[in-house]
Amino acid sequence: MTVICRGTSRNDRIISSEVKDNFDYFVEQFDDIRILKYKLPGFETLSLQQKEYIYYLSQASLMGRDILWDQNFRYNLLIRKTLEAIIGNYTGDKETTDYIAFLLYTKKVFFANGIHHHYSNDKFKPGFNAGFFAKLINGTKGEKLPLSKGQSSDQLTAFLTPILFDEKLFPRKVEQKSGVDMIAESASNFYEGVKQKEVEEFYAHKTIPDDPHPISIGLNSRVVKINGKVTEEVYKSGGKYGAAINKIIQWLEKAINAAETDKQKDELQILIEYYKTGDLKKWDEYNIAWVSNTAPMVDYINGFIEIYEDPMGMKATWEAIVDYTDLEATRRTKIITDNAQWFEDHSPIHPKYRKEKVKGVAARVINIAMLGGDCYPASPLGINLPNANWIRKEVGSKSVALANITKAYDVASRGNGFLEEFASDQAEVERIKKYGSISDALHTDLHECVGHASGKLANGTDPNALKNYASPLEEARADLFALYYIMDRKMTDLGLLPVEDAAKASYDAYLRNGLLTQIVRIKPGKDIEEAHMRNRSAISHWVYEKGKTGNVVELFKYNGKSYVKINDYHKLRSLLGELLGEIQRIKSEGDYEAGKRIIEDFGVKIDQNLHAEILTRYEKLNLAPYTGFVNPDLIPVYDSDGRMTDVVVEYVNNFLGQMLEYGKNYSFL
Ligand SMILES: [Zn+2]
C-alpha cells in the first residue's frame, strides 16, 4: 500500500486544526505512542442497507486479529493471552511501580500487535524483572492462564521468561541487513526451520519466466520443513489460520446479502472462494473485480496484502478496513471539478500552455468505519491498491484519502504546543485554529483535482525531459496552482471558503512549514531529498527571495528563535502566480536546466544553524512520534422479529479496555 500524494505530509498536518470541532479525539499517551479515536461523520445519514453492509464487513475486519499476532511472532498469541489473564485475574497489589511498569509493557505489546516495536522492529524491554513476572503468574489462577495440556504455571513462567527477558533471543521482528540469513535473524513467523537459501530455492522453481500475469507467489503461506522437505502451509479455510479465516468468511457471507450492487456481491463471492482455497489466481481475479468497482459508497479491504513484515518481501500480513465515501468532501471536489475549465482559463500561465478542454480528477475521499489487522491500531492516511503491478497497469488501481483519520491527527494536535512554538504571533495561531483544517483540505483538493490535471506540453516536448527533477517540479506545479487559487475570490463565491482569512491561514501554514518546520524530519547535516519536501522548500524560498525588496515575507529572530511573517498576502499571491507560470513553462518546454536551478537553488540545502535551532525547539515539545486509534463500537439494533433496524456508533475511550474486549470476542487461534 503506497501512501498517496495527499497522505505524505503527516508532519505538516500537525500545524492545522479547527476550533469548532468539539469531539474529543484524544484517548491517551504512553511511551512513544499517542492513542486517538476517530469520528464517523455522516454515518447516521447512511441508508440502513449501507449501515448493515458496514456492520458485517467490520465484523469481518475484526475476526482476523489473531492472524496478524501470530504472523508477527510465533509466541505472540501465547504471550498476549498470558498478559490478558494477568490483567483480568491477578490478585496481588496493582498499585506498585512494578505493576504499573507491567501495564505499560502490556500496552506497548497491544499497540504493536506483539512484543516487537511496530516501527523499529526491536523487541520491547520490560520495565520490570523476571522475578516480578513469575510473581504475576503465580498470583493468577492457573485455570485462567493459557496453559497447554499438563503444563503447570511454573512451566509457563519458565517457558516465557527467556522470550520476554533475554535480549539476545528474538531481538528483531524483521532483519533485512545484508550479509545475514534474514530468515534466521527475523522473529516474524513466515518461516520455520528453513534457511534463506532453502526458501529461495523453493520459490525459484515456482516462478514462470516472462509470465505477463504473474501471481503473487508465496503471498499467503508459511514455509516450514517437514521430514526434511520444504513445504508451504497455506493460509486458508482448513489450512493455516483456518479457524479465523472461517469466521471472516462467515461475516463476508452476511455482507453479500447487504451489498448494494451485484458487482459487489460477485466480488465478495470471489474473495470468499479465495479464502476457502488459498488459490492466488483467485486473489488476482478478486483484485480485478474489486478495482473495477470504482465508486462504491461503502468499500473495504480484507486480505493478506502488505509484504513489509517479511524479510524476503513475499509474504503478506493480514489487514482489513471498512470505509464509506465522505459526502462533504465529495461535494467540495465536485464543485472544484465542475469549475475546472474556469480555473484553467484564468491560470497565470502563458495561454499557449493552457488546456482547451480540461477535465478535473475527482479523488475519492473516504471515512474509516473500522480498522483491523495490520491497519490497527496504527492506521495509514492514504491507500493505493492493489499491489500487483500488472493489474495496476492493465485494470487500474484505487486511491483514497482517509479523511476522518487525517482530521483526527489534525485536531488532536491542537494544543500540543507545536503551533504555538513556531507561529509568529497570536493572530496567526487563532487563524490556523479557526481555518487550518478547512484550508488544508481545500489546498489538497485543488492540488489533486485540478492542479496536476492542468496545463499542457508544447508540441514535440519529451515528457521525460525533466528527469530526476520531474517529481518535485510536478508537485510544485500542483501546489502553486492550489496556493494561487486559494486566495482567489472564487473560493468564497463558490462557498469553498468562509472568508479570506481562511486563505491567509493557508499561506501562513505553507510558508512556515517550507521555510522552517518541515526540516524537523531531517537528520542534522543531511539535505532535503523527498520530492514533496523539495517542492515545499523550493516554493517557499523562491517567493521569500523574490519578495525580499518589498519585504513580502519576513524571516525574523526573537529571543534567539526564528519566525516567518507574511507582510503582504496579495503580493505573495502574485509571486506564487509568477512561479507557477515559470514552472509551467519549464514543464511545457522540457527546460531541464531551468527546472534544475529552481530545485537545487531553493529546494535542497538547509541552513545548518537554523536546522539545529528548529530541531532543539521541536525536541522540547516532547511529541509522541507514533499515533494509533481505538475503533468505535458499531452496535446493531434489532426489532422483535430479529431484523436489523439500525446500527449505532459508540465511541470508545479506553485503549486497554478495547484490547481486552477484542481478546475476548475476536480470538480464534
Ligand atoms: Zn501531488
Side-chain angles (χ1 to χ4, degrees):
M1 164 189 323
T2 40
V3 170
I4 60 169
C5 201
R6 57 194 294 160
T8 50
S9 53
R10 183 174 308 200
N11 249 17
D12 320 336
R13 295 186 180 281
I14 290 170
I15 51 188
S16 56
S17 44
E18 188 185 50
V19 141
K20 67 172 186 265
D21 187 336
N22 290 320
F23 186 78
D24 187 8
Y25 290 90
F26 184 79
V27 175
E28 69 167 309
Q29 186 162 338
F30 54 86
D31 205 63
D32 56 357
I33 306 290
R34 175 178 65 157
I35 303 288
L36 306 176
K37 54 185 182 286
Y38 55 92
K39 196 158 86 172
L40 272 55
F43 183 86
E44 58 291 342
T45 65
L46 297 173
S47 72
L48 175 60
Q49 186 181 9
Q50 287 163 346
K51 289 180 188 172
E52 203 174 339
Y53 189 42
I54 288 177
Y55 175 71
Y56 295 139
L57 289 170
S58 68
Q59 288 296 307
S61 309
L62 297 173
M63 294 292 155
R65 179 170 181 252
D66 279 3
I67 298 174
L68 178 74
W69 281 75
D70 192 71
Q71 287 183 309
N72 279 341
F73 177 49
R74 65 181 181 275
Y75 300 122
N76 271 340
L77 283 173
L78 178 66
I79 293 165
R80 194 191 77 204
K81 288 172 187 175
T82 306
L83 301 177
E84 286 166 353
I86 293 168
I87 291 179
N89 305 284
Y90 177 62
T91 51
D93 186 354
K94 292 188 171 178
E95 306 293 322
T96 65
T97 350
D98 274 338
Y99 191 83
I100 290 161
F102 162 76
L103 270 188
L104 176 64
Y105 174 78
T106 304
K107 284 198 241 181
K108 285 161 71 173
V109 172
F110 278 133
F111 187 85
N113 294 298
I115 62 168
H116 299 88
H117 192 281
H118 76 291
Y119 194 80
S120 76
N121 287 316
D122 293 328
K123 188 165 88 173
F124 293 126
K125 240 190 250 177
F128 52 96
N129 62 26
F132 184 68
F133 185 58
K135 195 174 158 185
L136 287 169
I137 291 189
N138 280 328
T140 305
K141 274 206 192 98
E143 72 215 46
K144 302 286 183 192
L145 291 166
L147 299 173
S148 53
K149 219 172 173 205
Q151 192 181 36
S152 69
S153 299
D154 286 346
Q155 284 167 331
L156 179 68
T157 308
F159 182 75
L160 288 180
T161 297
I163 298 173
L164 262 57
F165 295 92
D166 184 343
E167 288 176 34
K168 291 200 193 71
L169 204 56
F170 312 115
R172 305 259 306 145
K173 181 170 70 177
V174 186
E175 186 57 86
Q176 288 179 302
K177 265 204 309 252
S178 63
V180 303
D181 186 312
M182 294 185 291
I183 288 177
E185 298 293 322
S186 300
S188 61
N189 189 21
F190 301 106
Y191 310 93
E192 193 173 345
V194 283
K195 294 209 161 59
Q196 185 176 336
K197 229 176 143 266
E198 292 172 308
V199 174
E200 283 163 357
E201 276 163 16
F202 179 76
Y203 282 113
H205 299 299
K206 300 204 181 282
T207 318
I208 303 164
D210 304 320
D211 185 352
H213 299 151
I215 57 164
S216 306
I217 287 179
L219 188 75
N220 62 338
S221 63
R222 183 167 177 265
V223 175
V224 293
K225 206 190 260 180
I226 297 173
N227 298 329
K229 200 169 169 275
V230 178
T231 181
E232 268 185 334
E233 295 175 343
V234 177
Y235 308 152
K236 61 172 183 177
S237 179
K240 183 82 180 160
Y241 304 140
I245 289 172
N246 286 343
K247 291 283 178 188
I248 298 169
I249 292 173
Q250 262 179 33
W251 288 96
L252 292 178
E253 278 168 347
K254 288 181 199 274
I256 288 181
N257 295 325
E260 290 198 282
T261 64
D262 288 342
K263 279 177 101 179
Q264 275 177 329
K265 289 181 205 277
D266 295 345
E267 161 201 316
L268 281 163
Q269 199 57 57
I270 306 171
L271 179 59
I272 290 170
E273 280 170 45
Y274 159 70
Y275 272 134
K276 284 184 173 167
T277 59
D279 178 359
L280 286 168
K281 274 220 165 17
K282 280 272 166 232
W283 175 241
D284 285 348
E285 201 188 309
Y286 162 73
N287 274 298
I288 290 168
W290 178 78
V291 86
S292 311
N293 268 335
T294 41
M297 182 64 198
V298 176
D299 208 2
Y300 65 96
I301 289 168
N302 193 308
F304 299 96
I305 295 170
E306 297 302 337
I307 53 174
Y308 307 122
E309 305 294 322
D310 173 16
M312 307 281 289
M314 257 188 296
K315 310 209 164 288
T317 49
W318 187 84
E319 69 179 27
I321 63 166
V322 185
D323 66 77
Y324 59 100
T325 301
D326 184 315
L327 291 175
E328 171 56 25
T330 305
R331 185 194 70 89
R332 213 169 50 221
T333 55
K334 185 166 185 313
I335 293 175
I336 294 169
T337 47
D338 285 350
N339 286 278
Q341 194 64 51
W342 187 91
F343 291 120
E344 187 72 6
D345 295 344
H346 294 80
S347 178
I349 62 175
H350 196 290
K352 67 181 173 185
Y353 298 135
R354 288 181 192 145
K355 272 188 185 138
E356 294 79 22
K357 259 200 159 34
V358 66
K359 225 177 139 245
V361 186
R364 190 166 166 259
V365 183
I366 60 164
N367 289 310
I368 289 292
M370 194 59 68
L371 299 166
D374 216 0
C375 294
Y376 170 84
S379 162
L381 289 174
I383 296 170
N384 188 330
L385 286 173
N387 282 333
N389 277 320
W390 68 268
I391 300 178
R392 298 172 70 86
K393 223 190 267 163
E394 293 178 21
V395 192
S397 62
K398 279 194 214 174
S399 259
V400 291
L402 280 50
N404 59 343
I405 297 287
T406 304
K407 175 106 185 232
Y409 271 101
D410 273 1
V411 182
S413 300
R414 171 208 314 161
N416 69 6
F418 187 89
L419 178 60
E420 287 76 4
E421 173 62 36
F422 292 103
S424 66
D425 60 27
Q426 194 53 33
E428 190 184 326
V429 172
E430 293 306 321
R431 250 196 320 271
I432 296 277
K433 283 191 169 174
K434 223 164 168 177
Y435 305 117
S437 272
I438 176 73
S439 68
D440 192 31
L442 181 58
H443 174 100
T444 306
D445 293 339
L446 288 166
H447 174 117
E448 299 288 347
C449 304
V450 279
H452 281 306
S454 72
K456 67 174 184 187
L457 298 188
N459 280 340
T461 295
D462 173 6
N464 300 316
L466 302 177
K467 293 178 221 167
N468 53 320
Y469 298 106
S471 281
L473 288 168
E474 178 56 18
E475 292 310 325
R477 206 174 63 84
D479 261 358
L480 286 163
F481 199 93
L483 289 164
Y484 180 77
Y485 277 116
I486 210 163
M487 191 57 87
D488 200 289
R489 239 199 67 186
K490 192 86 177 165
M491 293 298 119
T492 40
D493 287 353
L494 290 172
L496 292 167
L497 283 185
V499 286
E500 196 196 63
D501 255 19
K504 288 186 180 172
S506 171
Y507 280 17
D508 294 337
Y510 198 92
L511 281 250
R512 178 163 19 82
N513 183 51
L515 292 172
L516 299 180
T517 54
Q518 72 164 349
I519 54 178
V520 298
R521 277 183 280 175
I522 296 185
K523 297 240 153 45
K526 297 273 188 235
D527 288 339
I528 301 175
E529 300 283 351
E530 200 274 325
H532 294 80
M533 291 182 71
R534 283 189 162 188
N535 134 49
R536 294 185 198 114
S537 173
I539 291 176
S540 306
H541 286 95
W542 192 93
V543 293
Y544 170 69
E545 290 294 334
K546 299 290 161 178
K548 231 173 184 173
T549 43
N551 204 21
V552 178
V553 179
E554 194 179 341
L555 264 174
F556 69 94
K557 277 204 165 198
Y558 180 75
N559 281 341
K561 293 177 175 182
S562 304
Y563 298 93
V564 179
K565 189 168 172 49
I566 299 168
N567 292 317
D568 188 338
Y569 287 87
H570 289 99
K571 188 80 219 320
L572 173 57
R573 183 189 183 212
S574 61
L575 287 170
L576 292 163
E578 195 184 312
L579 183 57
L580 174 57
E582 172 60 3
I583 289 185
Q584 183 61 55
R585 184 199 66 75
I586 288 168
K587 181 179 177 182
S588 295
E589 297 172 6
D591 188 345
Y592 176 83
E593 279 307 319
K596 176 181 171 179
R597 278 201 307 278
I598 289 180
I599 299 301
E600 290 292 342
D601 294 353
F602 299 98
V604 178
K605 293 288 171 209
I606 303 173
D607 178 305
Q608 295 302 306
N609 290 328
L610 177 71
H611 199 183
E613 176 208 313
I614 299 292
L615 287 175
T616 310
R617 287 164 71 187
Y618 182 68
E619 270 158 33
K620 278 195 190 137
L621 296 171
N622 255 328
L623 304 180
Y626 305 105
T627 299
F629 294 87
V630 287
N631 281 319
D633 285 338
L634 299 183
I635 302 177
V637 182
Y638 298 96
D639 66 13
S640 52
D641 298 328
R643 271 190 304 253
M644 198 183 289
T645 55
D646 200 4
V647 176
V648 182
V649 180
E650 272 185 19
Y651 294 105
V652 174
N653 282 309
N654 186 340
F655 173 70
L656 195 59
Q658 176 155 85
M659 290 295 172
L660 294 173
E661 192 237 306
Y662 282 5
K664 214 162 109 194
N665 297 331
Y666 299 102
S667 180
F668 308 104
L669 298 178

